Amino acid sequence: MPRFIPLAGLSLAALLALTACSSSPASSGPSESPSATSGTGAGSEETGSYSSDDLATILGTVTQADGTSLQMIPTAQIEQSMDQARQFLDAVTVTPEDCKVFVSNSLEAPEGAGVATGVSSSNGDAVQTIVSAASSADIDSSKGLAAVPAAALEVCSSFSVDAQGVVIEQTVEAVDASTKAEGTVGTSSVQSSSDGGKQQTMTIIGTRGDLAVTALRTAKDTLPDGTQDELQDLVDATLTAAERG
């Protein structure tokens, strides 16, 4: 599986960071800049064209459709949230079982990657928009890109997660996404829990060279109109900012 796929995991980890630290600077104002360590832990060499600091600077220039900027989350906080997500997966039952491997793989950062993540909330935090970027020699641009979601959806278009008695049913479908990247994939998913909760998420991933960008939006109940276009624009804006340096 190409190594750009973990960007979805980085974005989802940002959701955990926001949930766990809702009263911290990470959700109420600008936070410290992400450290220059890679997504695989301190001491790893960043082998991509962009370091974590480079990517944080790039994402800092990106604005949304309403003109608001993204709020950066420290790399260490993202890493901690990804660890928490892996621990969560160890304690749940996924059916079909093969889908647990697919979700787990999305929480493994590319070896030696520079990473950065920015977030934005609206409607009283009911809607979260997250943009993540990673640069690594392991990212192979558009090679095999279109086949990855198609192959995964053959098995995991519908699966369930049993978390301490709360069953979450998830359906996933491909999105016909288009960006200025060399390769683009998109998915839309709906999660429905046995306690009546519902969450819809759309993810657009674009890759160019050794740079991968994920724009993700998740919302209670239903995503706002125009979500796909806005996510595609965020991917394009990030890639353009990276070109400018």
Side-chain angles (χ1 to χ4, degrees), residues 40 48 76 78 168:
T40 57
I78 294 296
I168 302 171

Side-chain angles (χ1 to χ4, degrees), residues 72-116:
M72 303 308 299
I73 295 182
T75 301
Q77 193 170 328
I78 294 296
E79 292 173 353
Q80 181 181 18
S81 295
M82 290 181 76
D83 286 340
Q84 293 172 350
R86 284 188 284 265
Q87 292 172 14
F88 169 78
L89 285 176
D90 288 340
V92 303
T93 301
V94 179
T95 306
E97 187 174 359
D98 287 347
C99 297
K100 185 171 184 177
V101 175
F102 173 71
V103 177
S104 298
N105 285 345
S106 74
L107 292 169
E108 297 297 331
E111 183 69 27
V115 297

Side-chain angles (χ1 to χ4, degrees), residues 1-243:
M1 181 177 294
R3 299 304 296 269
F4 63 83
I5 289 299
L7 262 286
L10 291 173
S11 295
L12 292 173
L15 287 177
L16 290 178
L18 288 173
T19 301
C21 304
S22 59
S23 61
S24 71
S27 63
S28 59
S31 59
E32 62 182 286
S33 297
S35 66
T37 58
S38 75
T40 57
S44 298
E45 293 183 1
E46 293 172 330
T47 58
S49 300
Y50 304 90
S51 69
S52 294
D53 283 343
D54 293 335
L55 295 175
T57 299
I58 289 166
L59 289 181
T61 68
V62 174
T63 57
Q64 300 183 89
D66 61 2
T68 59
S69 300
L70 297 169
Q71 181 180 303
M72 303 308 299
I73 295 182
T75 301
Q77 193 170 328
I78 294 296
E79 292 173 353
Q80 181 181 18
S81 295
M82 290 181 76
D83 286 340
Q84 293 172 350
R86 284 188 284 265
Q87 292 172 14
F88 169 78
L89 285 176
D90 288 340
V92 303
T93 301
V94 179
T95 306
E97 187 174 359
D98 287 347
C99 297
K100 185 171 184 177
V101 175
F102 173 71
V103 177
S104 298
N105 285 345
S106 74
L107 292 169
E108 297 297 331
E111 183 69 27
V115 297
T117 300
V119 303
S120 177
S121 304
S122 60
N123 293 341
D125 291 341
V127 179
Q128 303 277 358
T129 302
I130 303 170
V131 183
S132 294
S135 179
S136 169
D138 288 337
I139 295 170
D140 192 12
S141 191
S142 60
K143 184 178 180 181
L145 187 65
V148 174
L153 291 178
E154 286 182 6
V155 178
C156 299
S157 60
S158 178
F159 61 94
S160 64
V161 178
D162 187 336
Q164 297 180 345
V166 177
V167 178
I168 302 171
E169 301 290 344
Q170 178 159 315
T171 59
V172 187
E173 62 181 7
V175 170
D176 186 14
S178 176
T179 72
K180 297 177 182 178
E182 293 171 352
T184 305
V185 295
T187 60
S188 177
S189 64
V190 176
Q191 293 179 326
S192 302
S193 62
S194 54
D195 60 2
K198 181 181 176 182
Q199 194 91 359
Q200 185 175 7
T201 302
M202 181 176 290
T203 305
I204 307 293
I205 302 174
T207 60
R208 177 180 293 167
D210 66 1
L211 175 64
V213 180
T214 294
L216 176 152
R217 178 172 291 167
T218 187
K220 294 180 180 179
D221 296 323
T222 305
L223 288 166
D225 292 340
T227 287
Q228 182 175 342
D229 288 340
E230 292 181 20
L231 294 180
Q232 292 173 166
D233 288 346
L234 285 169
V235 171
D236 287 341
T238 303
L239 293 172
T240 298
E243 286 180 346

